[in-house]
Amino acid sequence: MTRQLRQDYTHEAFEIANARISEFEKSLMPKMEKVEGALEAFADPSFQLLLVDAQKTAASTERPADYDLLSELLVHRFQKSDNRIARAGISLAVEIVDKISDEALLGLTVAHAVNSFFPVAGDIDKGLDVLNDLFGKVIYGKLPVGHEWLDHLDILNTVRLNSFGSLKKVQQYYPENLPGYIDVGIEKGSENHVKALEILDANHLPRVLLIDHSLNSDYLRIPVSNRDKIDSIPLQKTILQEGSIVIVPVKLTGSQVEAINSIYNLYSQNDGVKQSNINSFMDEWKKRPNLNALKKWWDNIPLILTITSAGKVLAHSNAQRCDKNLPPMN
């Protein structure tokens, strides 16, 4: 190879790298500008060093989506600036963005979504619709199968694999994490139904807080996806404001939260009815195409995978790239 030819190739590579870095920076700046105080991070030496690493990764990747992914990671870095553990995970994630395959990134992102995102809606159908919409966004390609994608993630230190045992199937996993949808509730017309209404009345709570259980019409339930969400149940109050009637949200008092928990304690513990609820829940699950696709994929993952800190931040950033409404990583 002549010197001139070598120079031509070097110049071409330099131009390609500069163009890729420029695209990355075009993605980064609008994201940073939207987060209050984020632009001040550029004065932080440790952030500057991570930015250089991100530029190097951007220069070496041929995948345009990686620019957006790197931008999300740097936003995370600003938001977690005081957390050394999170910062370490973000730094590792930046280094491997250009190395992770498309299918492995997709599998990692969906697995993270399964572990991290649950509906808060008290209505079961609405909760399932929220999940279906979410997975319609994060399942943006053909989901990987077999062992190769898992081995690839393990090599990149984004997951830890365990061949002893298997992941919980969807039919077990989601009912355990959404017990408010599955728990039996209070039988209509029963003694406990009367007690529940008395508790509501005594604590100035509306009787409509006991709703029909959509999985079993003989029972009533509190509209929460999980018992620990009781304190976030919104009440409504009608007030007169500037001559107009306005409905405003009202937070439950401590005694009202305690009262609703006491109603939850009145739930029937009939295992047979609960299993019937799980079966009905899964029937509703399968009616939703994205959730049905998720079930078929998840139930056939051959190994137990535990996502590492680097894997979590990479997957979360990619999920936020797919769905801008997702909350920041905890």
Side-chain angles (χ1 to χ4, degrees):
M1 182 182 291
T2 66
R3 178 176 297 180
Q4 181 60 47
L5 191 55
R6 286 198 300 270
Q7 290 175 343
D8 289 344
Y9 273 113
T10 301
H11 179 73
E12 182 180 0
F14 181 77
E15 291 297 321
I16 292 173
N18 270 346
R20 291 172 176 175
I21 292 172
S22 177
E23 289 301 313
F24 158 61
E25 291 173 346
K26 287 178 184 177
S27 172
L28 173 63
M29 294 311 297
K31 293 180 186 295
M32 295 292 284
E33 289 169 354
K34 289 180 181 178
V35 180
E36 185 177 355
L39 293 179
E40 298 172 8
F42 289 98
D44 177 5
S46 64
F47 185 87
Q48 290 178 3
L49 290 172
L50 183 64
L51 176 60
V52 171
D53 289 339
Q55 289 171 329
K56 290 178 181 177
T57 299
S60 63
T61 184
E62 74 288 352
R63 193 167 48 193
D66 287 349
Y67 310 140
D68 205 21
L69 183 52
L70 287 166
S71 299
E72 293 288 354
L73 286 169
L74 264 67
V75 172
H76 277 306
R77 172 60 177 77
F78 165 72
Q79 293 169 330
K80 299 294 182 182
S81 58
D82 295 330
N83 187 325
R84 284 180 174 268
I85 295 175
R87 283 161 49 185
I90 294 167
S91 295
L92 290 173
V94 166
E95 292 177 8
I96 63 172
V97 164
D98 63 325
K99 299 176 180 66
I100 189 169
S101 69
D102 291 330
E103 59 272 17
L105 178 60
L106 172 58
L108 179 68
T109 303
V110 175
H112 171 72
V114 169
N115 290 334
S116 304
F117 304 127
F118 300 96
V120 296
D123 182 276
I124 297 171
D125 286 323
K126 288 182 180 178
L128 287 174
D129 288 342
V130 166
L131 276 180
N132 189 61
D133 290 343
L134 168 65
F135 285 105
K137 293 174 181 175
V138 298
I139 302 177
Y140 52 81
K142 185 177 180 181
L143 288 165
V145 296
H147 289 77
E148 186 176 358
W149 70 281
L150 292 166
D151 293 337
H152 179 57
L153 291 176
D154 189 31
I155 290 170
L156 294 175
N157 292 319
T158 54
V159 300
R160 299 284 181 266
L161 301 179
N162 186 347
S163 59
F164 296 100
S166 58
L167 292 169
K168 289 181 179 179
K169 306 300 184 186
V170 164
Q171 182 153 341
Q172 179 184 1
Y173 179 78
Y174 275 96
E176 287 181 356
N177 282 279
L178 299 171
Y181 292 168
I182 302 302
D183 288 341
V184 176
I186 297 174
E187 188 172 7
K188 293 179 179 178
S190 66
E191 183 179 340
N192 281 346
H193 185 188
V194 175
K195 289 180 181 178
L197 293 177
E198 290 175 348
I199 292 171
L200 290 173
D201 293 342
N203 288 274
H204 308 290
L205 290 165
R207 290 190 171 192
V208 292
L209 277 181
L210 274 177
I211 64 172
D212 285 339
H213 201 313
S214 64
L215 302 179
N216 190 325
S217 59
D218 293 332
Y219 289 82
L220 300 162
R221 56 181 286 269
I222 299 295
V224 288
S225 60
N226 198 311
R227 187 171 182 168
D228 63 11
K229 304 293 184 185
I230 284 177
D231 61 355
S232 63
I233 293 175
L235 295 182
Q236 292 183 336
K237 182 179 181 180
T238 302
I239 63 172
L240 187 64
Q241 189 177 66
E242 297 180 356
S244 300
I245 295 176
V246 179
I247 298 175
V248 296
V250 179
K251 186 175 176 61
L252 292 173
T253 66
S255 60
Q256 287 175 326
V257 171
E258 187 176 335
I260 297 174
N261 268 298
S262 69
I263 292 174
Y264 210 101
N265 290 335
L266 298 175
Y267 276 24
S268 170
Q269 300 302 313
N270 189 312
D271 290 339
V273 175
K274 185 172 183 177
Q275 184 57 53
S276 177
N277 287 350
I278 292 174
N279 295 339
S280 297
F281 178 78
M282 293 314 301
D283 288 340
E284 291 299 318
W285 184 282
K286 293 173 187 175
K287 291 178 183 178
R288 293 161 172 83
N290 300 320
L291 296 185
N292 194 37
L294 172 69
K295 182 181 186 303
K296 291 178 180 178
W297 175 73
W298 182 265
D299 288 353
N300 286 286
I301 293 177
L303 300 170
I304 295 176
L305 70 153
T306 303
I307 304 177
T308 66
S309 58
K312 286 177 183 178
V313 71
L314 183 60
H316 196 92
S317 297
N318 194 43
Q320 285 190 303
R321 186 181 64 82
C322 300
D323 186 348
K324 307 300 183 185
N325 294 319
L326 289 176
M329 188 173 174
N330 292 331

